[in-house]
Amino acid sequence: MSHRIPFNKPGVAGNESRYLAEAIARGHISGDGEFTRKCSAFFEQELGLQKALLTTSCTHALEMAALLLKLQPGDEVILPSFTFVSTANAFVLRGARPVFIDIRPDTLNLDEQQLERLLSPRTRAIVPVHYAGVGCEMDVILDIAKRHDIAVVEDNAHGLFGKFRGKYLGTLGCLAAHSFHETKNFTCGEGGALFINDARYAERAEIIREKGTNRTQFFRGQVDKYTWVDLGSSYLPSELLAAFLYAQLEAREQIQSKRRRIWEYYRQHLAEWAEQHDVRRPFVPETCEHPFHMFYLLAPSLEFRQALIAHLKARGILSVFHYLPLHLSAMGKSFGGKSGDCPVSETISDRLLRLPFYNDLSEADQARVVEAIQEFHG
Ligand SMILES: Cc1ncc(COP(=O)(O)O)c(C=O)c1O
């Protein structure tokens, strides 16, 4: 059936069509034009970054990170089992072995207390995923990484504009990957960005993103011809995507205030029902400011979660589960993953339910979602 209240609708901020027309009129629609520069400058200024490079997806930003770290077959990368496949795939593509770490039951972020146990002489990187934009315990993670000379690559697909202890997520690891897929707060359909917080990676990042050539330096007039100098691929998005994205970034305050309202509404109006039914709402530690990316419920059991999805579906409301633990996927098992390795990820995956959440979700529709949930008693 077609859902009356979908799970997601890509947001349109207002100036997208105008900026697309401007890019077309300017006659430059391939990558790295005026709008790409505007988006990069926006991130660099707003977040105080050294360098932001737009990419074609978060997946590609993660692949760039794996190339930048020069990962080799046999190297190990520690990442949560409870994440999207790209967090692992980007590193596995370079021959690295994913070492799956379980998550904390409160924030659903990687359990930093288990990190030391999983380190080995081959560990080259830790990839914290800020689930739902709530920051991982970065102090502990960065301290361990520093002591063992390991890179930290933030998978910040959910967390743009979130903060940990007052610092923006995406500025804490040496590299950080972002997503502008249509489910994200800010979108251009498919897109991403790599934030570079360690100057050592800046020059090679430009080369890797430009098919392994020094074309970016050529355009800046730093070399008189460009050529193949390193590994690389085509990771830079077209100006059309950057034009669309810039319209969204410009509307940062407006988009974030809409999302704050939606998130707070769910939190407040579902409090009593959640309490009565042993359902948990998202937990945000005092150290974190989150960017209102998603609202989830943690049901007491898989059966309860499935019945609630069906109950909402029957009322034209689409709610969805999230990641299946990677260590139990076909690929994860090929790396030795087995049931019981990450028990928290396994139970959370069974019980988590995401509610409709998009910039233009009206209060009337949201009230319908809340009422439908309140009618459900397990
Ligand atoms: C944690 C995480 N990392 C990476 C990605 C991949 O993002 P993209 O679709 O931009 O490649 C996703 C997708 O939503 C994600 O949830």
Side-chain angles (χ1 to χ4, degrees):
M1 81 184 270
S2 73
H3 286 86
R4 206 168 39 80
I5 303 182
F7 169 66
N8 179 59
K9 268 191 209 170
V12 178
N15 279 333
E16 286 86 347
S17 303
R18 207 180 102 208
Y19 291 169
L20 280 167
E22 270 181 36
I24 294 166
R26 210 176 270 140
H28 180 145
I29 58 171
S30 61
D32 275 343
E34 187 60 22
F35 281 109
T36 308
R37 275 191 286 279
K38 280 186 160 167
C39 290
S40 295
F42 177 93
F43 292 129
E44 288 159 7
Q45 281 154 23
E46 293 274 316
L47 309 183
L49 286 180
Q50 292 197 16
K51 193 172 185 68
L53 290 175
L54 288 196
T55 59
T56 26
S57 63
C58 181
T59 301
H60 280 167
L62 289 164
E63 286 182 20
M64 283 183 65
L67 282 160
L68 280 166
L69 297 178
K70 296 191 173 162
L71 292 184
Q72 305 286 329
D75 287 342
E76 292 177 5
V77 177
I78 301 178
L79 52 99
S81 171
F82 189 68
T83 183
F84 192 67
V85 286
S86 299
T87 318
N89 239 343
F91 300 94
V92 172
L93 272 169
R94 311 263 34 96
R97 176 186 174 76
V99 174
F100 298 110
I101 185 167
D102 206 358
I103 51 171
R104 296 166 53 117
D106 53 2
T107 56
L108 317 187
N109 285 330
L110 70 74
D111 182 354
E112 68 285 352
Q113 300 304 329
Q114 300 192 29
L115 270 174
E116 301 259 17
R117 185 174 64 78
L118 295 173
L119 292 175
S120 89
R122 312 223 58 164
T123 310
R124 295 284 319 283
I126 301 169
V127 191
V129 175
H130 306 299
Y131 188 72
V134 174
C136 295
E137 282 301 315
M138 292 306 289
D139 288 351
V140 179
I141 296 170
L142 290 169
D143 176 59
I144 293 172
K146 194 170 171 195
R147 278 193 279 116
H148 296 272
D149 194 21
I150 295 167
V152 174
V153 177
E154 296 175 75
D155 180 336
N156 199 25
H158 304 177
L160 180 64
F161 301 130
K163 286 183 176 174
F164 175 76
R165 294 195 191 278
K167 291 187 184 148
Y168 279 113
L169 302 179
T171 64
L172 304 163
C174 59
L175 298 164
H178 295 79
S179 176
F180 306 118
H181 180 262
E182 73 169 23
T183 49
K184 302 303 184 292
N185 295 22
F186 300 86
T187 183
C188 54
E190 301 274 359
L194 182 68
F195 291 0
I196 294 156
N197 303 315
D198 181 333
R200 280 179 301 174
Y201 297 113
E203 191 176 313
R204 261 192 90 223
E206 288 182 343
I207 290 168
I208 288 169
R209 180 168 164 271
E210 268 284 24
K211 300 96 179 164
T213 73
N214 54 357
R215 186 153 86 163
T216 310
Q217 289 169 309
F218 171 72
F219 283 135
R220 277 202 298 258
Q222 291 166 332
V223 288
D224 58 8
K225 52 184 177 301
Y226 79 87
T227 181
W228 184 21
V229 292
D230 203 331
L231 287 180
S233 190
S234 185
Y235 292 130
L236 82 164
S238 131
E239 265 296 279
L240 298 176
L241 291 175
F244 196 101
L245 182 64
Y246 189 65
Q248 304 240 322
L249 294 177
E250 261 188 350
R252 169 183 176 181
E253 298 302 332
Q254 171 198 335
I255 289 174
Q256 290 301 83
S257 76
K258 280 186 189 175
R259 297 188 75 97
R260 173 195 288 270
R261 182 194 60 72
I262 295 166
W263 198 90
E264 296 289 359
Y265 186 98
Y266 275 139
R267 199 180 69 92
Q268 191 186 335
H269 290 86
L270 289 171
E272 202 179 311
W273 174 87
E275 174 112 0
Q276 284 162 0
H277 295 84
D278 197 19
V279 168
R280 230 199 66 200
R281 295 165 300 150
F283 170 70
V284 182
E286 278 179 3
T287 45
C288 294
E289 287 167 48
H290 73 108
F292 312 102
H293 173 54
M294 134 187 4
F295 195 92
Y296 64 80
L297 295 173
L298 276 181
S301 67
L302 171 65
E303 296 69 31
F304 186 109
R305 197 259 319 254
Q306 294 306 91
L308 180 52
I309 291 178
H311 168 90
L312 293 174
K313 192 172 175 198
R315 285 153 186 79
I317 297 165
L318 191 62
S319 60
V320 294
F321 55 85
H322 213 181
Y323 310 127
L324 301 172
L326 290 183
H327 70 286
L328 298 181
S329 66
M331 278 295 280
K333 283 181 181 161
S334 77
F335 288 106
K338 55 186 183 325
S339 194
D341 283 353
C342 298
V344 182
S345 304
E346 291 168 32
T347 170
I348 293 293
S349 173
D350 280 350
R351 297 190 286 115
L352 187 136
L353 172 74
R354 293 181 291 158
L355 299 182
F357 202 127
Y358 42 89
N359 302 349
D360 291 326
L361 178 59
S362 68
E363 196 163 321
D365 275 351
Q366 212 187 349
R368 280 185 206 111
V369 178
V370 167
E371 275 161 34
I373 292 172
Q374 284 166 340
E375 284 163 16
F376 181 79
H377 303 292

